[in-house]
Amino acid sequence: MSPFLKSFLSGRRVLGAYLRYHSSLTAELIENMDKKATWDRFYTETSSGKATFKNFEWFFGFDSVRDFIMPLLQTMSRPNAALHVVDMGCGTSALGPSIYSHSPVSVHVTCADISPIAVKLMQEHIQAKAIQPHSCSSQIEFVELDCTQLDKRFSPSTVDLIIDKGTTDALLRSREGKRNASLVLKQCLRVLRSSGSLLQFSDEDPDSRLIWLETAAQDPGVMTADVGVQEVGELRGIHYYCYQVTPHPAL
């Protein structure tokens, strides 16, 4: 079993047990993590029959990464303008809503996922919980969106922060992995402001991920990017990292 799938399955003990008894869904996840139908099935089957809604967190929840996200938002803050934050491949994570409810800086949080099932579950959950923003001018929305087509939703240089918690990892481990992951990275750099950043949270070792990011982020004559890494920590025997990618127009 790959470290990614190990961390995915161990993210919630009950879900791990569920998937062990539904081997066909586990196999589909391993083979088709880049397919909409796979995630529609995943969110349909793991939410059916549940009396109460529970968020599913890839790798870890908001508390594990808030010290990477919140200070960055503070440094980006602009007078009289909300920061546009995108939780890319949000699934049913509480990450986007947690930023919305904890950020003293005004934010417009877009939680985007390829699965309309996940989007509907989160819309219903937020309405039921009536989650309130920390800043009265903050907003949150949930949208169905293929992350290889971010420019269909966002204009160039309009997003301040994109958070990717496991989405690129899923793409890299799919059959058409590196091609789609490279496309997503270029889409992120296209819609980010020059003052913005992409944060990738991953269990992939820096020796591999840094080389790929530094290569895939370059678009000669159009775009270049700075790439850095910090260790998030160890959880259930797996090391996690935060990769920060900051775009710069080519000179």
Side-chain angles (χ1 to χ4, degrees), residues 72-86 99-100 103-110 133-141 154 157-161 191 193 195-196:
L72 188 57
L73 290 176
Q74 291 279 5
T75 65
M76 292 178 170
S77 63
R78 299 188 302 272
N80 305 316
L83 297 176
H84 195 170
V85 180
V86 177
I99 294 172
Y100 169 72
S103 175
V105 175
S106 179
V107 289
H108 178 169
V109 180
T110 299
H134 189 289
S135 169
C136 61
S137 58
S138 289
Q139 301 177 51
I140 190 168
E141 62 178 344
F154 310 112
S157 303
T158 58
V159 176
D160 296 285
L161 178 63
V191 303
R193 298 179 188 272
S195 59

Side-chain angles (χ1 to χ4, degrees), residues 94-144:
L95 179 62
S98 294
I99 294 172
Y100 169 72
S101 62
H102 286 84
S103 175
V105 175
S106 179
V107 289
H108 178 169
V109 180
T110 299
C111 300
D113 199 272
I114 196 172
S115 171
I117 309 299
V119 170
K120 184 172 185 292
L121 285 169
M122 288 303 294
Q123 288 172 332
E124 292 173 348
H125 173 61
I126 291 299
Q127 290 173 1
K129 293 284 288 185
I131 295 175
Q132 299 300 311
H134 189 289
S135 169
C136 61
S137 58
S138 289
Q139 301 177 51
I140 190 168
E141 62 178 344
F142 298 87
V143 299
E144 180 185 349

Side-chain angles (χ1 to χ4, degrees), residues 7 28 81 83 120 155 163 187 206 211-212 250:
S7 61
E28 186 173 346
L83 297 176
K120 184 172 185 292
S155 299
I163 300 170
Q187 286 280 299
I211 293 172
W212 176 75

Side-chain angles (χ1 to χ4, degrees), residues 117-201:
I117 309 299
V119 170
K120 184 172 185 292
L121 285 169
M122 288 303 294
Q123 288 172 332
E124 292 173 348
H125 173 61
I126 291 299
Q127 290 173 1
K129 293 284 288 185
I131 295 175
Q132 299 300 311
H134 189 289
S135 169
C136 61
S137 58
S138 289
Q139 301 177 51
I140 190 168
E141 62 178 344
F142 298 87
V143 299
E144 180 185 349
L145 182 64
D146 183 338
C147 59
T148 65
Q149 301 175 359
L150 294 179
D151 58 359
K152 288 191 174 182
R153 177 84 186 188
F154 310 112
S155 299
S157 303
T158 58
V159 176
D160 296 285
L161 178 63
I162 299 176
I163 300 170
D164 170 356
K165 186 159 71 79
T167 300
T168 292
D169 289 53
L171 290 173
L172 285 171
R173 289 160 174 82
S174 65
R175 291 177 181 177
E176 299 180 18
K178 285 194 174 180
R179 185 184 71 84
N180 284 336
S182 295
L183 178 57
V184 169
L185 179 59
K186 285 184 167 56
Q187 286 280 299
C188 289
L189 295 177
R190 177 177 172 79
V191 303
L192 279 170
R193 298 179 188 272
S194 59
S195 59
S197 285
L198 163 66
L199 296 184
Q200 284 189 358
F201 294 100

